[in-house]
Amino acid sequence: MIKHNIFSIAIIILEAVLLAGMYTFWAPCPVGEHIMGCHWVANVSVAVSAVIIILCILNLITKNSSTRKGINTGILAVTVLQGLTPQVLISICKHEHMRCHVYTQPAIITVASLVLILIIADLFVNRNK
């Protein structure tokens, strides 16, 4: 139970940092005359981060291990979606020195990779013998 809470709390912290970063230090290019793809990548990432945080809170509340496995599997699927959002699902601009390439895309992929590692570790540690 304690191990499970540590993983969920770590995921909540990572996603909260990403969520805050999308509005501050990892923000994509500002919206100008036309809306670029990085704006939509950030919007999708914020929505997915909110879903992951809600699922982790449900994971902390739930006592049933099979329900937690189902929630963890959902977090796993949504995290893969989050990692694939920049450049695979939504293409960002082609300028390599823009904020979306330098800050936004690496931040989303890094946080999604860390959450993926944590959720796989949680599934592995809390598996039935």
Side-chain angles (χ1 to χ4, degrees):
M1 176 81 173
I2 297 297
K3 294 176 200 171
H4 169 71
N5 289 341
I6 291 171
F7 287 117
S8 292
I9 291 170
I11 292 170
I12 289 172
I13 291 169
L14 281 171
E15 291 293 340
V17 168
L18 181 65
L19 219 153
M22 285 296 118
Y23 290 109
T24 57
F25 46 90
W26 289 328
C29 308
V31 176
E33 293 178 11
H34 53 83
I35 300 174
M36 295 171 34
C38 54
H39 170 76
W40 300 115
V41 167
N43 285 350
V44 169
S45 180
V46 164
V48 170
S49 290
V51 168
I52 291 173
I53 289 171
I54 290 168
L55 287 173
C56 284
I57 290 170
L58 288 174
N59 217 354
L60 289 172
I61 295 170
T62 304
K63 302 293 183 208
N64 188 353
S65 66
S66 61
T67 305
R68 277 187 272 155
K69 281 184 184 177
I71 293 172
N72 283 341
T73 305
I75 294 171
L76 183 77
V78 174
T79 302
V80 169
L81 174 75
Q82 184 177 36
L84 293 176
T85 299
Q87 207 58 36
V88 175
L89 297 176
I90 302 173
S91 61
I92 55 178
C93 67
K94 295 180 181 16
H95 303 290
E96 293 180 7
H97 301 291
M98 298 290 284
R99 291 184 58 85
C100 48
H101 279 284
V102 177
Y103 300 117
T104 308
Q105 182 181 11
I108 293 170
I109 292 172
T110 302
V111 169
S113 299
L114 291 172
V115 169
L116 194 64
I117 291 168
L118 285 172
I119 205 67
I120 289 171
D122 191 9
L123 284 168
F124 182 75
V125 168
N126 294 313
R127 71 186 187 284
N128 288 341
K129 305 284 187 226

